[in-house]
Amino acid sequence: MSELTRQHVASTPIAVPTTEEGPRVETTAGPVRGLWRRIVSAPDRQGPAPLFTRSAAFYGIPYAEVPFGERRFMAPVRRAGWTQERTALTPSATPQRGSIFDDPAIPEPSVPGEDFLTVNVFTPTPGDEGARLPVLVWIHGGGWSSGSHNSPWYDGAAFNRDGVVTVSVAYRLGYDGYGWVPGSDAPYNRAVLDQVMALEWVRDNIARFGGDPEQVTVAGQSAGGGNSMVLLAVPRAKGLFHRIISQSGALPERSASTTQEMSRTLAQVLGVELSLEGIRSATYDEVFEASRKVTAPDGAGLAGLADPVEALRGVLSQSGSDIPFLPTVDGEVIALDEVEALRSGWGAKVPVLAGSTMHDFAFAGLGMAEAMKGKDLREVLVAGGLSEEIAERVIAAHPEHADAPHMVVGDLISDATFHKVVAEWFLARQEAAAGEGTTSAGSYAYEFAYCAGPLHMATHCMDIPFTFDCLADPYCEHTLGGGAPQELADAMHGVWVSFIREGQPGWESWTERSVGRCFGDNRAGEMSLQEDRVLFDTDRDLVAASR
C-alpha cells in the first residue's frame, strides 16, 4: 500500500483505497468521480459472507446551492448543473465550525468552507442502475448545533459489504438552520428543508449509484434520530422514504413563539436588528458563539440543577429543551407536533425501529451525589413525580446502581428523555391504527445495554460503531475503551441490515406487549448478546399517567 493510500482521508480500518481509477457517475446535475476502496472486515467477524468486497466513496456531492451571501438564511435552492467532471475524492466543507461538546463521543471533523450542502455516497455498485440495492440515508446528531456528516463512523463500507447503499447528509445547524429569520422565504426550519432537498436528490439520483429510490430508510442518532422522526410530520417529505431508524432520538416540542423569543435574544447578544439584513451582518462564527449564550425558557436545564427533586419534576412534567434552536412546529414546514401527527395517522405505513442506550444521559446523576446524601431514594422519586409503584420499578430496573442512589436519579432523567419519547411515538401510532380500524406498520423497540468506557455504562453514542460495524476505528477506544465485542457489532449491524432490506428486524412490534430486543447487557458480568424482553414498560405507564 502506498503512502498516499495510507494517508488518504477515505482510508479507514474497514475501507482502504485502491490505486485503480475511481468510478464516474452521471448525476442529474453533472458527472462526479469517486474512488474505490477495498472493504476490510474484522478478522473475528461472524456475519454472513460478504455480498461485495469493494466500496466506492463519493464525497461532497452538492444537492443545493451555496447557502451564503444572498442565499444565507433562505430556503435551499436545488444545485445548478455542471458539465466538467467534479472530483468527489475528499470530504467537503461542513456546517459545523466548532462543537458544543468539550469531549465528543463521536469523531466529528470540521472542514472549512461555505459550499457545505452536500451528501457523501458510499456504494458497491456505482453506475449500475439495475442493482436496485436498498438505501440508508444517515442524518447525523449533535444537538441540532454540532455534528459532522464526514465522521469516519458514518462511512458506509460495512453496509456496502452487505448490499446497502449509504448516504450521509450535511444540513445547516444552530440558528442558521433553525432560528427565526423575519423576511426570509423560510423563516423557520431551513435545516429541515435541507434534509428534504437531500432526500429529493436521493430520489432523483440514487439509482445511478446502484440504489433503489423505492427502498429508502432514513436513520439518525440523537438529534439525527429526532430529525428522522420529524420528517413524518413534514408534508413535503411524504413518499421520499419508506422506513425509519431512530437511535436515541429526542424531539422536544418547540413552538414558533419560543423560537421567536430565542431569536430576539440572539439578536440582542449580537447587537444587530432581528431582520434578514441585520442577521446577515454577523458571521457564522459570531452567530455560533452568540448562540452558546442563549438558553431556551422552556428547558429544564438539567445540567445546572443540583436539586434532584426539581430536576425530576422538570424532565417528567414538560417536553421542552434548553437547546435554543431546533425543529419548530410552524404549521407549514412541520405541520403538526410529532405525537399529534402520529396520532393523526401520518407515517402509519412506515415501519419504525427506535430505541436508545440504557444510560444515554444517566451521567446527569453524577452532579447530584452530594444532594442525595442522607436522602431516601424512593421518597425523592415520588416527590419528583412518580407513583410509589413506578418508583419501585425504576429502582429494580437498575441494579447496577443499587449502591449509588444519585445515579438512579440520573437513570430516570435519561429514561424520561429518551425511552419515554419512544413509548409516546409508538402509542400514538397504535392509537391512529385503532381509530382507523387498520393495522399500522411495525413499531419495533430496542435497547443497547453494553456497559463500557470510563463510566462503565451504556451511554449516548456508544451504539453507533456497533450498528455501523466499525469497531476497528481508533476513536472507538476513546469512547468504548478496549475490548469491544465484535460479536455484538455482528448482531446489531445484521439486524439493521435486515430492517433496511425488509422493514422487519426479527422480533414483534412493541405496541402489544412492550417487547423489544436488548443488545449486549453485561451489567451482571457475562454479556447477553441479544434477548427479546419487555422494554420501556415503565415509560409506557408514565405516558399513560401524563394524559
Side-chain angles (χ1 to χ4, degrees):
M1 183 167 58
S2 70
E3 186 67 21
L4 176 63
T5 300
R6 270 200 306 272
Q7 293 180 354
H8 194 285
V9 69
S11 182
T12 74
I14 63 170
V16 179
T18 68
T19 57
E20 62 190 302
E21 183 180 31
R24 173 182 164 122
V25 171
E26 295 282 344
T27 75
T28 54
V32 293
R33 177 79 65 178
L35 76 158
W36 281 111
R37 296 102 49 80
R38 176 173 55 87
I39 300 172
V40 181
S41 296
D44 53 345
R45 174 178 175 267
Q46 297 295 315
L51 297 178
F52 299 94
T53 59
R54 295 195 305 173
S55 164
F58 296 81
Y59 293 100
I61 303 175
Y63 64 83
E65 295 289 351
V66 181
F68 270 75
E70 293 301 309
R71 291 195 175 95
R72 191 179 179 203
F73 300 117
M74 302 293 281
V77 175
R78 192 180 303 275
R79 189 60 169 248
W82 59 85
T83 55
Q84 291 188 334
E85 181 179 283
R86 185 183 182 97
T87 58
L89 305 179
T90 57
S92 62
T94 56
Q96 174 181 263
R97 295 295 189 274
S99 178
I100 61 173
F101 307 108
D102 295 330
D103 185 20
I106 302 171
E108 297 176 312
S110 297
V111 180
E114 299 179 349
D115 192 2
F116 53 61
L117 293 183
T118 64
V119 294
N120 298 333
V121 180
F122 305 94
T123 173
T125 54
D128 183 359
E129 296 197 31
R132 308 291 285 187
L133 298 177
V135 180
L136 169 66
V137 176
W138 181 260
I139 303 176
H140 70 77
W144 294 280
S145 302
S146 298
S148 171
H149 71 308
N150 289 335
S151 173
W153 282 13
Y154 309 149
D155 187 306
F159 281 108
N160 290 176
R161 177 195 65 210
D162 298 319
V164 176
V165 173
T166 308
V167 180
S168 62
V169 176
Y171 58 96
R172 281 173 280 187
L173 302 170
Y175 181 83
D176 275 54
Y178 296 103
W180 177 51
V181 182
S184 169
D185 63 348
Y188 304 95
N189 296 315
R190 291 168 297 282
V192 178
L193 294 175
D194 293 344
Q195 293 160 40
V196 171
M197 185 163 284
L199 285 169
E200 292 171 342
W201 183 93
V202 169
R203 176 196 63 197
D204 298 339
N205 288 277
I206 206 63
R208 301 168 188 234
F209 292 85
D212 185 350
E214 299 300 321
Q215 289 196 75
V216 175
T217 297
V218 173
Q221 184 266 346
S222 194
N227 287 338
S228 300
M229 289 298 295
V230 83
L231 288 168
L232 289 173
V234 177
R236 185 173 152 184
K238 186 176 182 180
L240 295 176
F241 57 94
H242 313 91
R243 294 161 193 138
I244 287 177
I245 300 175
S246 176
Q247 299 180 216
S248 297
L251 190 58
E253 181 180 334
R254 177 57 53 84
S255 67
S257 60
T258 298
T259 299
Q260 289 178 11
E261 182 179 348
M262 291 299 87
S263 301
R264 292 189 186 99
T265 301
L266 178 76
Q268 291 173 0
V269 173
L270 287 168
V272 302
E273 179 187 4
L274 181 55
S275 65
L276 187 59
E277 295 75 17
I279 291 295
R280 278 178 178 166
S281 68
T283 66
Y284 186 99
D285 290 338
E286 289 170 342
V287 170
F288 175 76
E289 290 302 322
S291 297
R292 303 185 74 172
K293 302 175 183 177
V294 177
T295 301
D298 62 350
L302 297 176
L305 285 177
D307 186 337
V309 171
E310 289 303 313
L312 291 176
R313 286 176 178 170
V315 77
L316 290 171
S317 65
Q318 52 79 50
S319 57
S321 170
D322 54 7
I323 296 173
F325 302 111
L326 43 75
T328 297
V329 182
D330 64 334
E332 295 184 15
V333 177
I334 301 176
L336 298 171
D337 165 76
E338 184 69 18
V339 173
E340 182 183 354
L342 297 175
R343 195 175 289 136
S344 300
W346 293 40
K349 299 304 181 184
V350 177
V352 175
L353 172 61
S356 63
T357 68
M358 178 168 282
H359 305 113
D360 266 301
F361 278 9
F363 54 76
L366 293 171
M368 300 179 188
E370 190 67 29
M372 284 297 294
K373 284 185 177 178
K375 288 186 169 64
D376 182 273
L377 175 58
R378 290 165 183 79
E379 292 179 0
V380 169
L381 297 181
V382 171
L386 299 187
S387 69
E388 291 188 3
E389 187 265 338
I390 289 183
E392 289 290 347
R393 285 162 59 187
V394 168
I395 294 169
H398 292 284
E400 71 276 19
H401 292 146
D403 297 326
H406 59 289
M407 293 307 301
V408 178
V409 175
D411 291 326
L412 180 54
I413 289 171
S414 183
D415 292 352
T417 304
F418 294 99
H419 295 182
K420 184 183 172 188
V421 70
V422 174
E424 286 178 319
W425 292 339
F426 286 179
L427 290 174
R429 284 163 61 85
Q430 183 185 46
E431 289 177 30
E436 293 294 327
T438 61
T439 302
S440 67
S443 299
Y444 304 101
Y446 80 91
E447 185 172 42
F448 174 85
Y450 177 71
C451 297
L455 298 177
H456 195 65
M457 293 194 296
T459 54
H460 208 53
C461 307
M462 279 189 173
D463 53 338
I464 295 177
F466 291 90
T467 57
F468 272 82
D469 191 7
C470 63
L471 291 178
D473 185 86
Y475 204 85
C476 289
E477 188 165 352
H478 166 85
T479 301
L480 298 170
Q486 179 60 38
E487 61 178 332
L488 182 55
D490 294 340
M492 294 192 72
H493 177 78
V495 165
W496 264 234
V497 170
S498 294
F499 183 81
I500 292 165
R501 285 179 182 163
E502 304 163 11
Q504 220 288 352
W507 61 88
E508 67 182 87
S509 187
W510 178 86
T511 48
E512 295 302 321
R513 302 194 303 142
S514 301
V515 170
R517 182 160 296 182
C518 183
F519 292 95
D521 192 346
N522 63 343
R523 292 175 297 164
E526 184 177 352
M527 184 181 72
S528 172
L529 184 60
Q530 50 185 326
E531 177 187 358
D532 293 354
R533 65 194 194 194
V534 171
L535 296 178
F536 312 151
D537 57 318
T538 300
D539 305 282
R540 184 179 198 138
D541 291 343
L542 285 174
V543 172
S546 66
R547 293 181 175 177

